[in-house]
Amino acid sequence: MPGVYRPQEDSFLLAQALREAGGARDARVLDFCTGTGFLAVTAAQLGAASVTAVDIATRAVLTARFNARRRGLPVRVLRGGLDAAARTGPFDVVLSNPPYVPHGGGRADPRWDAGPDGRSVLDPLCDELSNLLSVKGFALVVHSGFSGVDETLGRLRGGGLKAAVVARQRIPFGPVLQSRVGYLQHAQLADRDTTNEEVVVIRADRTRSRGTVDCALCEG
């Protein structure tokens, strides 16, 4: 549907990371910021026990429902944000290709724009992931290096999750980032001669139950 983010290199990189993780079969899966439903459909095709897709945009919800139904896949698609996701969790696998492009102001496109540092969706998602995941569940989140890989890893680890980069790919600037070169340089997110971005997939694993306290914190 017009106005819905189409699957691109970042979507394909995340889908490949899911295949390599081998974690979709028989799992309860959440696709947060589903867009066309590409990742939700991929998870269902890989044998997920159930798939819930969530997006704040009505057009995305309608598009994801259509794409799942035309393939005969039982994907539940909900309109909403993290609150809607939390009401239907926890999940064994959480997938997300959220908006992450730094935006310097003016008219924003919700398909990819995510505030001055590209983290207006990433930060709340990172903070909520430990509550969305079941015990021993994991998440795969894709975003640009311009949005701060270390920031994402730090937030996830600060929330008690084990986190690491599991995939990387360099992609030449497309039309969106070409239009942002001036801002990226002004914000010191990119050098003057930068012509491509690094897209990363970060995996976050929940290894402990909620409320479990590290014994080292109990000493004394």
Side-chain angles (χ1 to χ4, degrees):
M1 208 178 248
V4 179
Y5 182 77
R6 294 174 178 271
Q8 298 182 41
E9 288 91 342
D10 51 0
S11 308
F12 304 140
L13 186 66
L14 182 50
Q16 182 60 31
L18 176 62
R19 294 187 186 95
E20 292 176 357
R25 180 163 296 280
D26 300 324
R28 294 190 64 201
V29 178
L30 169 68
D31 177 15
F32 182 68
C33 301
T34 190
T36 63
F38 170 73
L39 292 168
V41 165
T42 299
Q45 291 174 331
L46 290 173
S50 66
V51 181
T52 300
V54 176
D55 202 290
I56 200 168
T58 300
R59 289 188 178 189
V61 170
L62 295 175
T63 301
R65 284 175 179 166
F66 173 79
N67 285 328
R69 288 174 182 173
R70 74 178 297 204
R71 291 165 175 79
L73 298 171
V75 176
R76 182 186 185 191
V77 187
L78 305 175
R79 182 178 181 274
L82 285 170
D83 54 343
R87 287 195 299 269
T88 55
F91 301 93
D92 305 312
V93 180
V94 174
L95 308 171
S96 187
N97 182 3
Y100 56 70
V101 176
H103 178 59
R107 184 175 180 181
D109 191 317
R111 288 176 292 178
W112 46 70
D113 289 325
D117 56 2
R119 302 195 59 85
S120 63
V121 180
L122 276 169
D123 284 346
L125 173 60
C126 290
D127 293 343
E128 185 64 21
L129 267 180
S130 62
N131 295 321
L132 292 175
L133 289 170
S134 60
V135 176
K136 297 185 179 180
F138 71 89
L140 294 170
V141 180
V142 65
H143 69 77
S144 170
F146 295 133
S147 309
V149 176
D150 289 341
E151 287 85 343
T152 297
L153 293 173
R155 275 190 175 263
L156 293 171
R157 292 166 183 166
L161 301 174
K162 178 182 176 182
V165 176
V166 294
R168 298 178 183 268
Q169 183 177 350
R170 287 208 165 269
I171 303 171
F173 282 173
V176 174
L177 281 180
Q178 285 176 354
S179 70
R180 306 287 168 77
V181 169
Y183 174 72
L184 292 174
Q185 293 173 354
H186 175 74
Q188 299 183 338
L189 298 172
D191 298 328
R192 186 173 297 276
D193 58 351
T194 302
T195 59
N196 57 62
E197 69 171 329
E198 183 179 55
V199 175
V200 302
V201 177
I202 294 176
R203 174 167 173 158
D205 288 79
R206 185 171 163 209
T207 59
R208 293 180 294 179
S209 300
R210 294 183 186 87
T212 300
V213 179
D214 194 318
C215 290
L217 299 178
C218 300
E219 293 180 0

